[in-house]
Amino acid sequence: MKLKINDFEMAYRQAGQGPAIVFVHGFPLSKAMWIPQLEGLKDLYHVITPDQRGHGESQPVAGPYTMQMLAQDIDSLLDTLEIDQPVVMCGHSMGGYVVFEFFRRYAHRTTGLILDATRAGSDTPEAKDNRENTARNVLQDGVMPVVEGMLPKMFSPLNYEAKPELVKEVKHIMAGTSPEGTAGALLAMRDRADSIQTLTEIRVPVLIIHGQEDQIIPVTEAQLMSDKIPQNTLSVLENAGHLPNLEDPVWFNDAVRRFMDKL
Ligand code: MLT
């Protein structure tokens, strides 16, 4: 399905009825990363999986993007879908950065947050420089160098060896991101606000999910968020890297169900 959202055509999928959960994908991924959640949770919840601007089947609008823009896109999607009730916002990695921004702007629209393989801090000066260089290179050389560099770090070393089909699928999703979307998102991540202070201000229940062997965002970041968020549950999956929802969808969906039961 596609809708005109702000200045672009946004692709999204939705299924099921009941309390709504919006799953916001990470970088450089798409709604396709949430297929096991859409399929596994739609019997109980209204599952909504957007493609962020420039990603998946959404229009490849030119960047730079900002987290404010990405959060506003989700807000406008909820308006367009006429979802007035507060929702659970689940963000993976960069999607978590979007969720923090969404929470700062539209806290009234949230009834709970799921922070999946993400972090609250902003980039170091060195990381900001890297983002900028990579954004420039992507517009010249395409996304494959980014994909090849990130792919082995997306999984636990064991899963990277043992699950070639999954690795291939994730590579395919990443390779489908437009250069505009990839560069735009890199600049949005570079300029994102620090959310450490926000952690202490979150007044809704939070589920923090992280892979013990995440090589992109270390599990210590999840512990830090858990130490600061007033009401949270921390669930760490042992044999998982940066994609616990794909490395063990059954475990992930169970954690989401338990969290939703308590809301
Ligand atoms: C992601 O997985 O969304 C990004 O790699 C996170 C980041 O680069 O900070």
Side-chain angles (χ1 to χ4, degrees), residues 26-29 92-95 97 119 123 131 150 154 189 192 216-217 242:
F27 166 89
L29 293 157
H92 169 255
S93 200
M94 176 181 78
Y97 311 158
R119 59 151 64 93
D123 278 4
R131 302 268 201 209
M150 277 183 84
M154 297 295 276
M189 290 193 282
R192 76 186 189 277
I216 299 217
I217 299 185
H242 195 50

Side-chain angles (χ1 to χ4, degrees), residues 10-196:
M10 178 187 263
Y12 71 99
R13 281 187 73 189
Q14 62 174 339
Q17 284 173 351
I21 316 180
V22 182
F23 287 91
V24 187
H25 63 77
F27 166 89
L29 293 157
S30 78
K31 61 180 172 346
M33 73 169 282
W34 299 119
I35 289 172
Q37 282 62 54
L38 190 89
E39 298 302 334
L41 297 169
K42 69 179 180 196
D43 289 346
L44 292 170
Y45 315 113
H46 179 183
V47 180
I48 304 160
T49 61
D51 276 338
Q52 301 193 74
R53 55 176 65 223
H55 293 73
E57 295 169 308
S58 282
Q59 200 180 334
V61 269
Y65 307 161
T66 62
M67 286 302 152
Q68 291 86 333
M69 240 181 224
L70 301 179
Q72 210 177 12
D73 291 343
I74 307 288
D75 179 62
S76 302
L77 175 68
L78 293 177
D79 281 347
T80 310
L81 296 177
E82 296 182 359
I83 296 175
D84 307 324
Q85 295 299 315
V87 302
V88 169
M89 290 288 298
C90 172
H92 169 255
S93 200
M94 176 181 78
Y97 311 158
V98 177
V99 166
F100 285 129
E101 190 60 41
F102 187 92
F103 184 80
R104 280 191 285 274
R105 295 177 157 244
Y106 317 107
H108 62 281
R109 287 203 106 145
T110 63
T111 183
L113 308 181
I114 303 175
L115 300 172
D116 171 25
T118 192
R119 59 151 64 93
S122 53
D123 278 4
T124 61
E126 193 195 351
K128 282 182 200 275
D129 285 348
N130 278 338
R131 302 268 201 209
E132 189 160 337
N133 290 335
T134 312
R136 199 176 313 114
N137 294 342
V138 162
L139 291 176
Q140 274 170 19
D141 308 331
V143 295
M144 285 323 284
V146 174
V147 175
E148 302 286 359
M150 277 183 84
L151 192 67
K153 297 193 220 140
M154 297 295 276
F155 308 87
S156 71
L158 208 66
N159 285 337
Y160 187 64
E161 286 298 317
K163 301 190 174 181
E165 285 306 315
L166 178 61
V167 173
K168 204 167 134 201
E169 174 59 20
V170 170
K171 182 175 182 179
H172 177 72
I173 298 173
M174 293 169 90
T177 310
S178 68
E180 292 88 344
T182 308
L186 281 162
L187 298 178
M189 290 193 282
R190 177 196 62 179
D191 295 337
R192 76 186 189 277
D194 191 289
S195 296
I196 304 272

